[in-house]
Structures are given as structure tokens and as C-alpha cells.
Amino acid sequence: MFRLVSSNMAFFTHHIKRSFSSSAVRNVVIKNVTIIGGGQMGAGIAQVAASTGHSVTLVDMTDDILKKAMKGIQSSLRRVVKKTFSGDPESGDDFIQKVMQNVSTSTEPSAAIATSDLILEAIVENMKIKQDLFGFLDKMAPEHTIFASNTSSLPISDIASATSRPDRCAGLHFFNPVPLMKLVEVVATTSTSPETSESLLNFTKALGKTPVCCKDTPGFIVNRLLVPYMMEALRLHERGHASKEDIDTGMKLGAGYPMGPFELSDYVGLDTIKFIMDGWSKKEPDNPIFAPSQLLNKLVAEGKLGKKTLEGFYKYNK
Ligand code: 3HC
């Protein structure tokens, strides 16, 4: 994508009209959204934004990825309308059609970026790649455009440092499955302006979600509590104190969780959990909460990443 975008970069940096001066940037009413990354999270966010009347451009490196993302959005919408338009399938079909019209896809995002109020990245969890992306987009996007990252564990301030607009950078952390999970974490760094936070809070409410505010600390709120809980379940199992099935049943029936920790780990992706844990344990190697798990490392090394590879702690049918 960088190569494709770079070819037009000079053109666009000359032609983008900078209609807001930095000092005049106030609350931004977010209508046009560019989402970079057409994976599960990016596609889910695109779906929700389009369903609530936003104009969305979904960007990824290949048409194949984007086609798969659009197919995923359509099938998820079908599940949603089955419930919300039950008894009125025609209106459901109309709704799906309208939502799909709100989403366009591109491997060359320059035009969309020029009119974006918000650019949200949901790409691979790699700091250098995110910084390169934000640094690059910073040169193309209008002054008022807010940059947000859906990272689950990387510091937002480090990503924002690649831009000239740290006051207009923040975290916007969604949860899987995005169409169903009501929460969004709005993460403010020490540089994020109150206007940026407020614009994002209003945006998440316009999506029909409930926002919570948090600081730019490892794991924000939810992952800081959820990931150590899943790791503790793993350690309980590794010590031979209970089977994974019984631990899952215990947490579902005894604590009211919709999924047990092993089911949830498979759902989130074992590689994602390992990535988060490795980052934390690097920072605090002596903290037992962040101690690695041999079983998790083994499964990831074997490519058993959970539901997406049809095997993790459990096996899944296609
Ligand atoms: N799109 C649209 N609808 C969907 C859907 C999707 N992606 N996934 C499920 N649904 C619908 C189903 O069609 C079904 O509809 P119905 O009631 O009309 O039949 C309904 O949701 C319930 O689905 P299921 O019967 O398949 O399964 P459940 O009742 O178990 O619900 C669940 C599924 C909502 C995923 C529930 O199990 C749950 O809430 N699990 C916990 C998820 C969670 O904790 N997510 C956060 C993970 S952490 C994270 O994402 C952060 C990251 O940084 C790591």
C-alpha cells in the first residue's frame, strides 16, 4: 500500500486544501472515516460506522483482502438484520444495501484521506509499521483530521510521535466482535487535546457504542484486566489443577462470563495474547502477572492460533 500511496503522495500534498489552521482546530464532527486495515477489527469498525450513516473508506493492500472484508461485513449484517428486522426481511435487505453503499474500498487511499475527518488504523501490531503509516498519512491529511489507533497494547504516544499532530492523535480501542460489543476505549495521551477526546467520544456515541476514557497505559482498562485473567486460567491448567473445559464451564456458570477464558483466548487469537504478554513482560520481566506460559508459546509456535486457524486450545470446524 505504501508503494501505491507514495506514487501519488507528491501530487496530493500539493493539492490537499488545508481548510483549518492548527490553532483553529476545535471539535470535529466526524462524518468521513478512513479505516486502514481490512482484517476482522477494521471490517467490524467499518460495518458499524457505515451502519450509523458515516461515509467509510476501507483501505488495505490488496483487492482480495478488501473483497474478503466486504463479504464478512455483508454476512455479519445479515446476522444483525435477522434480529433487528425480524418479520420484515425486505426492510432488512434495504438496510443492508444502504449500509453497503456507505462503504467504499481502496488500495490507494489518497482521495479518501483528503476528505477524512478521522483516520483509524487497525493494522498489524508493529510499532515501526504504525509509525511509518502515521508519519506518511500526516503529510497527506487535512489539518483537522484526527488520527486514531485501534492498537490493543502499543503506546499511543509512541505512534503519535511520528506525526506533527500529537494533539489530534488518540487511541480508539474496539472489541471483538465489533458489531456486538458495546464498549469503545477512548485513549488520551498527555498530548491529546480535550477537543480531540470530545470529538472521539461523540463519534463513539454516534456509533451506538458506550465510550470509556482511559490514559495511555499498557492494556488500557479492559486488556489490562482481561489478559492477566486469561493467563491465570492457563497457568491453573498448566499446573494440572483443572481441565480447560472445567475452567471454561466454571467461569461461564459460576461468574456469568459469556465465554470461558480458553474459549475467549481462541476467539481473540493466541498470537494476539502472546504479543500483548511479551510486550508487558519485556517492560516488567520480574512481574509474575506477566510471566510467559510455555503452553501458549508452544501453540503459537505450532501455528495453532485459535478459531482463525481452526485450532487453538480447542478444535473448530470450518
Ligand atoms: N456479527 C453480527 N452478529 C453476530 C456476530 C457478528 N460478528 N457474532 C455473533 N453474532 C450474533 C449471532 O448471529 C447471534 O444472533 P442470534 O441471537 O440472533 O442468533 C448472537 O450474536 C449470539 O451469537 P452466538 O449464539 O453465536 O453466540 P453467543 O451467544 O455466545 O454470543 C458473543 C457470541 C457475543 C461473541 C459472546 O460469546 C460474547 O460476548 N463473548 C465475549 C466476547 C469478548 O469478551 N470480546 C472481547 C474480547 S477482547 C478484545 O476484543 C480486545 C482485543 O484488543 C484483544
Side-chain angles (χ1 to χ4, degrees):
M1 185 183 75
F2 281 136
R3 195 170 38 78
L4 284 168
V5 174
S6 297
S7 60
N8 279 337
M9 188 171 142
F11 173 86
F12 278 101
T13 40
H14 277 99
H15 287 78
I16 289 165
K17 286 197 184 85
R18 293 185 175 252
S19 50
F20 294 76
S21 77
S22 187
S23 58
V25 173
R26 297 264 176 252
N27 288 358
V28 176
V29 178
I30 296 168
K31 282 286 165 206
N32 297 330
V33 184
T34 298
I35 296 169
I36 316 267
Q40 206 172 21
M41 296 305 284
I45 300 164
Q47 177 185 331
V48 171
S51 298
T52 47
H54 298 84
S55 172
V56 179
T57 304
L58 187 59
V59 176
D60 212 314
M61 286 196 288
T62 68
D63 287 326
D64 277 354
I65 299 173
L66 291 168
K67 254 185 224 157
K68 197 176 157 207
M70 292 299 272
K71 226 172 129 189
I73 292 175
Q74 195 141 22
S75 75
S76 174
L77 281 170
R78 265 190 233 112
R79 294 168 86 174
V80 171
V81 300
K82 217 173 116 194
K83 204 180 286 178
T84 45
F85 290 89
S86 68
D88 187 5
E90 261 179 42
S91 301
D93 288 347
D94 283 354
F95 176 74
I96 294 180
Q97 215 179 343
K98 272 193 197 132
V99 173
M100 293 311 280
Q101 279 167 3
N102 286 343
V103 190
S104 53
T105 59
S106 181
T107 53
E108 213 310 337
S110 317
I113 284 164
T115 57
S116 283
D117 304 311
L118 170 69
I119 300 174
L120 173 59
E121 72 79 13
I123 61 169
V124 63
E125 289 284 69
N126 178 303
M127 179 55 79
K128 169 92 175 70
I129 296 176
K130 286 184 197 287
Q131 283 179 333
D132 285 351
L133 176 70
F134 268 30
F136 172 70
L137 295 171
D138 186 42
K139 297 187 180 78
M140 303 172 75
E143 202 84 33
H144 78 285
T145 306
I146 294 174
F147 285 16
S149 171
N150 181 56
T151 181
S152 45
S153 63
L154 296 174
I156 305 295
S157 54
D158 289 0
I159 303 173
S161 70
T163 74
S164 63
R165 61 179 82 207
D167 58 318
R168 277 149 288 152
C169 289
L172 210 51
H173 185 219
F174 290 78
F175 294 84
N176 195 14
V178 179
L180 298 189
M181 302 308 282
K182 288 280 174 212
L183 189 78
V184 180
E185 291 174 323
V186 178
V187 185
T189 71
T190 49
S191 304
T192 306
S193 71
E195 289 82 7
T196 298
S197 292
E198 203 180 324
S199 301
L200 291 174
L201 287 169
N202 289 337
F203 173 63
T204 53
K205 287 177 199 159
L207 296 180
K209 304 288 185 195
T210 300
V212 288
C213 299
C214 40
K215 291 194 176 167
D216 188 20
T217 55
F220 315 131
I221 296 173
V222 175
N223 280 344
R224 180 61 184 81
L225 297 172
L226 193 60
V227 175
Y229 149 75
M230 292 193 280
M231 291 302 292
E232 196 51 26
L234 232 163
R235 293 189 195 102
L236 190 68
H237 173 53
E238 275 178 321
R239 289 195 298 269
H241 291 176
S243 70
K244 53 186 189 291
E245 290 81 3
D246 280 352
I247 296 171
D248 277 347
T249 302
M251 294 313 291
K252 283 188 287 187
L253 301 189
Y257 284 37
M259 289 174 167
F262 293 93
E263 291 168 330
L264 185 58
S265 299
D266 275 357
Y267 191 72
V268 167
L270 304 192
D271 51 338
T272 302
I273 294 168
K274 177 170 159 51
F275 181 84
I276 294 172
M277 284 300 296
D278 286 352
W280 289 349
S281 89
K282 218 168 162 185
K283 281 192 178 140
E284 289 183 50
D286 298 328
N287 189 337
I289 292 173
F290 303 146
S293 149
Q294 282 187 5
L295 178 55
L296 180 69
N297 290 348
K298 180 174 171 290
L299 288 170
V300 172
E302 289 169 355
K304 295 173 182 166
L305 307 181
K307 254 190 138 172
K308 62 186 164 191
T309 59
L310 303 180
E311 187 171 353
F313 291 112
Y314 298 109
K315 287 190 177 166
Y316 301 86
N317 296 321
K318 216 169 181 176

